Amino acid sequence: VVALAMAATLPFAGLAAAADHPAQELVVSSTTEMLDVLKNESDRIAAEPEYLNAKVEEIVVPNIDFETMTKLAVGKFWRQADAGQRPELVTEFKTLLLNTYTSAMTEYSGGTISFEPFRPEEREDRAVVRSTFDQSGGQDVPVTYKLRDKEGWSIYDIEVDGLSLVTSYRTAFASEIRKGGVAGLLETLEKRNARRS
């Protein structure tokens, strides 16, 4: 499910709806830019995996609030993490998410996504960008991006078919913390990321 959620952050063709809000513009423009890389530079990506990592770092990373995502994924246990563990958690979770994202991109096989017209939220510092992913040969899947304005708009959660990326990790993280504390979760994340490096 997590892999599906990350794959759904991929850029796809068929971008509909005007980007009439900064948050919507951020999501539409970054997905379009990554799509151009996937479509036009596939040979280079196949030959140089590090090139894809560099483009993700350039185009995707600045638009994601990894600290907020980590806090939400760790949930109530965030308070148990000490001052040294918190930045480590953010770093390891960021690495996990980006590894999953780049893996999904290498398996990109087409599809279209259309964006709904932007609808303002009650809080001016929150925004929701709604879209629908039409899988090649599959059924439509709603994909929702949640953003906050914290000195600029950034994504802090993504929902795929109603399932939150952050919530799906929270369950797994809570299980790890109950077994081995925050240190145990960090160790698990470090080992998992090391296998992917």
Side-chain angles (χ1 to χ4, degrees):
V1 170
V2 169
L4 172 62
M6 291 310 295
T9 69
L10 287 171
F12 300 100
L15 300 176
D20 52 4
H21 185 277
Q24 181 124 342
E25 182 179 353
L26 179 148
V27 175
V28 173
S29 63
S30 60
T31 54
T32 302
E33 192 171 354
M34 277 307 305
L35 174 63
D36 289 342
V37 171
L38 290 175
K39 286 174 62 178
N40 301 327
E41 304 188 62
S42 57
D43 291 343
R44 182 172 181 181
I45 289 170
E48 304 174 43
E50 286 306 312
Y51 177 70
L52 177 58
N53 293 338
K55 297 306 289 185
V56 169
E57 194 73 30
E58 172 192 339
I59 298 168
V60 177
V61 169
N63 300 324
I64 300 178
D65 184 349
F66 290 103
E67 182 174 354
T68 297
M69 290 187 85
T70 307
K71 287 180 181 178
L72 292 172
V74 175
K76 63 182 181 181
F77 299 104
W78 181 257
R79 294 190 301 273
Q80 297 181 15
D82 61 35
Q85 290 173 322
R86 288 180 178 181
E88 288 184 54
L89 284 168
V90 174
T91 297
E92 294 299 332
F93 190 39
K94 174 183 175 181
T95 301
L96 176 65
L97 291 174
L98 292 180
N99 283 342
T100 306
Y101 181 73
T102 52
S103 293
M105 281 196 290
T106 61
E107 298 172 11
Y108 171 70
S109 59
T112 61
I113 191 166
S114 58
F115 288 89
E116 297 179 16
F118 184 80
R119 302 198 300 270
E121 297 296 299
E122 287 186 10
R123 289 182 55 167
E124 291 186 358
D125 64 342
R126 295 289 188 274
V128 176
V129 176
R130 299 169 178 85
S131 66
T132 301
F133 171 50
D134 180 12
Q135 304 177 86
S136 298
Q139 65 183 78
D140 292 354
V141 179
V143 181
T144 301
Y145 303 83
K146 295 185 176 181
L147 301 91
R148 63 185 297 189
D149 185 5
K150 192 171 65 174
E151 300 180 358
W153 290 98
S154 57
I155 298 166
Y156 69 88
D157 196 11
I158 300 162
E159 290 183 359
V160 179
D161 204 12
L163 180 63
S164 159
L165 175 68
V166 165
T167 301
S168 65
Y169 275 113
R170 186 182 298 150
T171 302
F173 285 4
S175 176
E176 290 292 333
I177 292 171
R178 290 190 183 98
K179 288 189 293 184
V182 174
L185 172 60
L186 273 170
E187 183 179 358
T188 298
L189 289 173
E190 288 166 359
K191 288 180 178 177
R192 181 169 176 179
N193 289 332
R195 290 197 298 268
R196 298 287 297 275
S197 61

